[in-house]
mmCIF file with all atom_site columns, all heavy atoms in Angstrom:
data_model
loop_
_atom_site.group_PDB
_atom_site.id
_atom_site.type_symbol
_atom_site.label_atom_id
_atom_site.label_alt_id
_atom_site.label_comp_id
_atom_site.label_asym_id
_atom_site.label_entity_id
_atom_site.label_seq_id
_atom_site.pdbx_PDB_ins_code
_atom_site.Cartn_x
_atom_site.Cartn_y
_atom_site.Cartn_z
_atom_site.occupancy
_atom_site.B_iso_or_equiv
_atom_site.pdbx_formal_charge
_atom_site.auth_seq_id
_atom_site.auth_comp_id
_atom_site.auth_asym_id
_atom_site.auth_atom_id
_atom_site.pdbx_PDB_model_num
ATOM 1   N N   . PRO A 1 760 ? -29.086 48.572 -25.167 1.00 0.00 ? 760 PRO A N   1
ATOM 2   C CA  . PRO A 1 760 ? -28.292 47.579 -24.679 1.00 0.00 ? 760 PRO A CA  1
ATOM 3   C C   . PRO A 1 760 ? -28.886 46.162 -24.898 1.00 0.00 ? 760 PRO A C   1
ATOM 4   O O   . PRO A 1 760 ? -30.052 45.967 -24.889 1.00 0.00 ? 760 PRO A O   1
ATOM 5   C CB  . PRO A 1 760 ? -28.259 47.800 -23.137 1.00 0.00 ? 760 PRO A CB  1
ATOM 6   C CG  . PRO A 1 760 ? -28.634 49.279 -23.082 1.00 0.00 ? 760 PRO A CG  1
ATOM 7   C CD  . PRO A 1 760 ? -29.570 49.538 -24.209 1.00 0.00 ? 760 PRO A CD  1
ATOM 8   N N   . LEU A 1 761 ? -28.009 45.181 -25.106 1.00 0.00 ? 761 LEU A N   1
ATOM 9   C CA  . LEU A 1 761 ? -28.316 43.766 -25.404 1.00 0.00 ? 761 LEU A CA  1
ATOM 10  C C   . LEU A 1 761 ? -28.911 43.614 -26.781 1.00 0.00 ? 761 LEU A C   1
ATOM 11  O O   . LEU A 1 761 ? -28.536 42.760 -27.505 1.00 0.00 ? 761 LEU A O   1
ATOM 12  C CB  . LEU A 1 761 ? -29.284 43.200 -24.247 1.00 0.00 ? 761 LEU A CB  1
ATOM 13  C CG  . LEU A 1 761 ? -28.700 43.196 -22.807 1.00 0.00 ? 761 LEU A CG  1
ATOM 14  C CD1 . LEU A 1 761 ? -29.624 42.680 -21.815 1.00 0.00 ? 761 LEU A CD1 1
ATOM 15  C CD2 . LEU A 1 761 ? -27.298 42.466 -22.784 1.00 0.00 ? 761 LEU A CD2 1
ATOM 16  N N   . ILE A 1 762 ? -30.059 44.361 -26.985 1.00 0.00 ? 762 ILE A N   1
ATOM 17  C CA  . ILE A 1 762 ? -30.680 44.184 -28.359 1.00 0.00 ? 762 ILE A CA  1
ATOM 18  C C   . ILE A 1 762 ? -29.736 44.501 -29.455 1.00 0.00 ? 762 ILE A C   1
ATOM 19  O O   . ILE A 1 762 ? -29.834 43.906 -30.449 1.00 0.00 ? 762 ILE A O   1
ATOM 20  C CB  . ILE A 1 762 ? -31.962 45.014 -28.380 1.00 0.00 ? 762 ILE A CB  1
ATOM 21  C CG1 . ILE A 1 762 ? -33.032 44.535 -27.456 1.00 0.00 ? 762 ILE A CG1 1
ATOM 22  C CG2 . ILE A 1 762 ? -32.554 45.103 -29.741 1.00 0.00 ? 762 ILE A CG2 1
ATOM 23  C CD1 . ILE A 1 762 ? -34.255 45.383 -27.352 1.00 0.00 ? 762 ILE A CD1 1
ATOM 24  N N   . LYS A 1 763 ? -28.826 45.414 -29.263 1.00 0.00 ? 763 LYS A N   1
ATOM 25  C CA  . LYS A 1 763 ? -27.951 45.810 -30.334 1.00 0.00 ? 763 LYS A CA  1
ATOM 26  C C   . LYS A 1 763 ? -27.076 44.711 -30.892 1.00 0.00 ? 763 LYS A C   1
ATOM 27  O O   . LYS A 1 763 ? -26.635 44.725 -31.949 1.00 0.00 ? 763 LYS A O   1
ATOM 28  C CB  . LYS A 1 763 ? -27.203 47.110 -29.986 1.00 0.00 ? 763 LYS A CB  1
ATOM 29  C CG  . LYS A 1 763 ? -26.196 46.894 -28.773 1.00 0.00 ? 763 LYS A CG  1
ATOM 30  C CD  . LYS A 1 763 ? -25.536 48.259 -28.476 1.00 0.00 ? 763 LYS A CD  1
ATOM 31  C CE  . LYS A 1 763 ? -24.531 48.086 -27.333 1.00 0.00 ? 763 LYS A CE  1
ATOM 32  N NZ  . LYS A 1 763 ? -23.885 49.307 -27.008 1.00 0.00 ? 763 LYS A NZ  1
ATOM 33  N N   . LYS A 1 764 ? -26.839 43.735 -29.903 1.00 0.00 ? 764 LYS A N   1
ATOM 34  C CA  . LYS A 1 764 ? -25.916 42.657 -30.281 1.00 0.00 ? 764 LYS A CA  1
ATOM 35  C C   . LYS A 1 764 ? -26.583 41.691 -31.366 1.00 0.00 ? 764 LYS A C   1
ATOM 36  O O   . LYS A 1 764 ? -25.984 40.942 -32.023 1.00 0.00 ? 764 LYS A O   1
ATOM 37  C CB  . LYS A 1 764 ? -25.719 41.814 -29.053 1.00 0.00 ? 764 LYS A CB  1
ATOM 38  C CG  . LYS A 1 764 ? -24.764 42.519 -28.050 1.00 0.00 ? 764 LYS A CG  1
ATOM 39  C CD  . LYS A 1 764 ? -24.459 41.638 -26.823 1.00 0.00 ? 764 LYS A CD  1
ATOM 40  C CE  . LYS A 1 764 ? -23.582 42.383 -25.904 1.00 0.00 ? 764 LYS A CE  1
ATOM 41  N NZ  . LYS A 1 764 ? -23.232 41.489 -24.651 1.00 0.00 ? 764 LYS A NZ  1
ATOM 42  N N   . LEU A 1 765 ? -27.962 41.774 -31.391 1.00 0.00 ? 765 LEU A N   1
ATOM 43  C CA  . LEU A 1 765 ? -28.598 40.973 -32.366 1.00 0.00 ? 765 LEU A CA  1
ATOM 44  C C   . LEU A 1 765 ? -28.577 41.576 -33.814 1.00 0.00 ? 765 LEU A C   1
ATOM 45  O O   . LEU A 1 765 ? -28.921 40.921 -34.778 1.00 0.00 ? 765 LEU A O   1
ATOM 46  C CB  . LEU A 1 765 ? -30.161 40.798 -32.073 1.00 0.00 ? 765 LEU A CB  1
ATOM 47  C CG  . LEU A 1 765 ? -30.424 40.140 -30.687 1.00 0.00 ? 765 LEU A CG  1
ATOM 48  C CD1 . LEU A 1 765 ? -31.922 40.223 -30.417 1.00 0.00 ? 765 LEU A CD1 1
ATOM 49  C CD2 . LEU A 1 765 ? -29.912 38.675 -30.697 1.00 0.00 ? 765 LEU A CD2 1
ATOM 50  N N   . LYS A 1 766 ? -28.111 42.863 -33.942 1.00 0.00 ? 766 LYS A N   1
ATOM 51  C CA  . LYS A 1 766 ? -27.905 43.569 -35.180 1.00 0.00 ? 766 LYS A CA  1
ATOM 52  C C   . LYS A 1 766 ? -29.259 43.529 -36.009 1.00 0.00 ? 766 LYS A C   1
ATOM 53  O O   . LYS A 1 766 ? -29.347 43.452 -37.291 1.00 0.00 ? 766 LYS A O   1
ATOM 54  C CB  . LYS A 1 766 ? -26.826 42.840 -36.057 1.00 0.00 ? 766 LYS A CB  1
ATOM 55  C CG  . LYS A 1 766 ? -25.463 43.027 -35.449 1.00 0.00 ? 766 LYS A CG  1
ATOM 56  C CD  . LYS A 1 766 ? -24.384 42.550 -36.371 1.00 0.00 ? 766 LYS A CD  1
ATOM 57  C CE  . LYS A 1 766 ? -22.967 42.818 -35.800 1.00 0.00 ? 766 LYS A CE  1
ATOM 58  N NZ  . LYS A 1 766 ? -21.824 42.335 -36.621 1.00 0.00 ? 766 LYS A NZ  1
ATOM 59  N N   . LEU A 1 767 ? -30.302 43.803 -35.379 1.00 0.00 ? 767 LEU A N   1
ATOM 60  C CA  . LEU A 1 767 ? -31.632 43.919 -35.986 1.00 0.00 ? 767 LEU A CA  1
ATOM 61  C C   . LEU A 1 767 ? -31.757 45.379 -36.589 1.00 0.00 ? 767 LEU A C   1
ATOM 62  O O   . LEU A 1 767 ? -31.141 46.325 -36.148 1.00 0.00 ? 767 LEU A O   1
ATOM 63  C CB  . LEU A 1 767 ? -32.781 43.681 -34.953 1.00 0.00 ? 767 LEU A CB  1
ATOM 64  C CG  . LEU A 1 767 ? -32.704 42.290 -34.359 1.00 0.00 ? 767 LEU A CG  1
ATOM 65  C CD1 . LEU A 1 767 ? -33.868 42.281 -33.234 1.00 0.00 ? 767 LEU A CD1 1
ATOM 66  C CD2 . LEU A 1 767 ? -32.880 41.222 -35.293 1.00 0.00 ? 767 LEU A CD2 1
ATOM 67  N N   . ARG A 1 768 ? -32.665 45.453 -37.512 1.00 0.00 ? 768 ARG A N   1
ATOM 68  C CA  . ARG A 1 768 ? -32.846 46.779 -38.211 1.00 0.00 ? 768 ARG A CA  1
ATOM 69  C C   . ARG A 1 768 ? -34.337 47.012 -38.416 1.00 0.00 ? 768 ARG A C   1
ATOM 70  O O   . ARG A 1 768 ? -35.075 46.110 -38.601 1.00 0.00 ? 768 ARG A O   1
ATOM 71  C CB  . ARG A 1 768 ? -32.173 46.804 -39.610 1.00 0.00 ? 768 ARG A CB  1
ATOM 72  C CG  . ARG A 1 768 ? -30.649 46.549 -39.521 1.00 0.00 ? 768 ARG A CG  1
ATOM 73  C CD  . ARG A 1 768 ? -30.088 46.435 -40.865 1.00 0.00 ? 768 ARG A CD  1
ATOM 74  N NE  . ARG A 1 768 ? -28.712 45.957 -40.872 1.00 0.00 ? 768 ARG A NE  1
ATOM 75  C CZ  . ARG A 1 768 ? -27.981 45.656 -41.911 1.00 0.00 ? 768 ARG A CZ  1
ATOM 76  N NH1 . ARG A 1 768 ? -28.500 45.576 -43.072 1.00 0.00 ? 768 ARG A NH1 1
ATOM 77  N NH2 . ARG A 1 768 ? -26.685 45.229 -41.708 1.00 0.00 ? 768 ARG A NH2 1
ATOM 78  N N   . GLU A 1 769 ? -34.794 48.220 -38.223 1.00 0.00 ? 769 GLU A N   1
ATOM 79  C CA  . GLU A 1 769 ? -36.110 48.585 -38.128 1.00 0.00 ? 769 GLU A CA  1
ATOM 80  C C   . GLU A 1 769 ? -36.631 48.935 -39.643 1.00 0.00 ? 769 GLU A C   1
ATOM 81  O O   . GLU A 1 769 ? -35.794 49.522 -40.369 1.00 0.00 ? 769 GLU A O   1
ATOM 82  C CB  . GLU A 1 769 ? -36.426 49.879 -37.351 1.00 0.00 ? 769 GLU A CB  1
ATOM 83  C CG  . GLU A 1 769 ? -35.757 49.740 -35.963 1.00 0.00 ? 769 GLU A CG  1
ATOM 84  C CD  . GLU A 1 769 ? -34.308 50.236 -36.077 1.00 0.00 ? 769 GLU A CD  1
ATOM 85  O OE1 . GLU A 1 769 ? -33.748 50.464 -37.052 1.00 0.00 ? 769 GLU A OE1 1
ATOM 86  O OE2 . GLU A 1 769 ? -33.710 50.540 -34.910 1.00 0.00 ? 769 GLU A OE2 1
ATOM 87  N N   . VAL A 1 770 ? -37.934 48.640 -39.974 1.00 0.00 ? 770 VAL A N   1
ATOM 88  C CA  . VAL A 1 770 ? -38.490 49.007 -41.198 1.00 0.00 ? 770 VAL A CA  1
ATOM 89  C C   . VAL A 1 770 ? -39.925 49.497 -40.892 1.00 0.00 ? 770 VAL A C   1
ATOM 90  O O   . VAL A 1 770 ? -40.622 48.933 -40.229 1.00 0.00 ? 770 VAL A O   1
ATOM 91  C CB  . VAL A 1 770 ? -38.599 47.790 -42.204 1.00 0.00 ? 770 VAL A CB  1
ATOM 92  C CG1 . VAL A 1 770 ? -39.181 48.229 -43.519 1.00 0.00 ? 770 VAL A CG1 1
ATOM 93  C CG2 . VAL A 1 770 ? -37.196 47.065 -42.380 1.00 0.00 ? 770 VAL A CG2 1
ATOM 94  N N   . ILE A 1 771 ? -40.171 50.672 -41.525 1.00 0.00 ? 771 ILE A N   1
ATOM 95  C CA  . ILE A 1 771 ? -41.505 51.275 -41.417 1.00 0.00 ? 771 ILE A CA  1
ATOM 96  C C   . ILE A 1 771 ? -42.059 51.473 -42.798 1.00 0.00 ? 771 ILE A C   1
ATOM 97  O O   . ILE A 1 771 ? -41.314 52.055 -43.655 1.00 0.00 ? 771 ILE A O   1
ATOM 98  C CB  . ILE A 1 771 ? -41.428 52.651 -40.676 1.00 0.00 ? 771 ILE A CB  1
ATOM 99  C CG1 . ILE A 1 771 ? -40.957 52.310 -39.167 1.00 0.00 ? 771 ILE A CG1 1
ATOM 100 C CG2 . ILE A 1 771 ? -42.741 53.287 -40.509 1.00 0.00 ? 771 ILE A CG2 1
ATOM 101 C CD1 . ILE A 1 771 ? -40.679 53.675 -38.341 1.00 0.00 ? 771 ILE A CD1 1
ATOM 102 N N   . THR A 1 772 ? -43.252 51.087 -43.016 1.00 0.00 ? 772 THR A N   1
ATOM 103 C CA  . THR A 1 772 ? -43.873 51.246 -44.352 1.00 0.00 ? 772 THR A CA  1
ATOM 104 C C   . THR A 1 772 ? -45.147 52.014 -44.249 1.00 0.00 ? 772 THR A C   1
ATOM 105 O O   . THR A 1 772 ? -45.866 51.947 -43.191 1.00 0.00 ? 772 THR A O   1
ATOM 106 C CB  . THR A 1 772 ? -44.231 49.883 -44.991 1.00 0.00 ? 772 THR A CB  1
ATOM 107 O OG1 . THR A 1 772 ? -45.079 49.191 -44.126 1.00 0.00 ? 772 THR A OG1 1
ATOM 108 C CG2 . THR A 1 772 ? -42.909 49.127 -45.156 1.00 0.00 ? 772 THR A CG2 1
#
Side-chain angles (χ1 to χ4, degrees):
L761 300 180
I762 292 181
K763 64 183 181 181
K764 294 183 178 180
L765 300 176
K766 295 187 176 181
L767 301 176
R768 301 171 186 170
E769 317 85 347
V770 181
I771 298 175
T772 61

